[in-house]
Amino acid sequence: TIEVARSSMLHTSFPSVVATGILLTAGKWVYEATLLSDAALCGQWGWCDQDFLASSGQGHGVGDEKHSWAYDGDRKSKWWCAEAPWGLKW
């Protein structure tokens, strides 16, 4: 369980939560997230490969480049190098 408080989410950066030590190389994988409060709703949720490099200070996070993919339910958009309209609002 990971809890994110709204007070810790600055609009000048994009904090990331990472599960380290996991490298999936075969098969099909599914993950599930339960959003327990509206603090978890802002931002992009997604996944990346081992070549992904983030920069919180520059606003560069999951979905912003070719090594990651994301969904933002607040903005109803999917991300892979660029934003594209998709999905429903959380």
Side-chain angles (χ1 to χ4, degrees), residues 9-70:
M9 304 196 68
L10 303 174
H11 292 285
T12 58
S13 65
F14 285 87
S16 294
V17 177
V18 178
T20 58
I22 299 172
L23 178 60
L24 308 175
T25 60
K28 295 181 180 180
W29 298 85
V30 176
Y31 67 95
E32 179 179 325
T34 303
L35 307 178
L36 301 175
S37 72
D38 66 348
L41 297 180
C42 65
Q44 294 160 207
W45 290 73
W47 60 97
C48 58
D49 67 21
Q50 63 190 13
D51 293 323
F52 172 68
L53 295 173
S55 175
S56 180
Q58 295 178 3
H60 182 85
V62 67
D64 291 330
E65 48 99 78
K66 68 181 180 177
H67 295 287
S68 63
W69 303 260

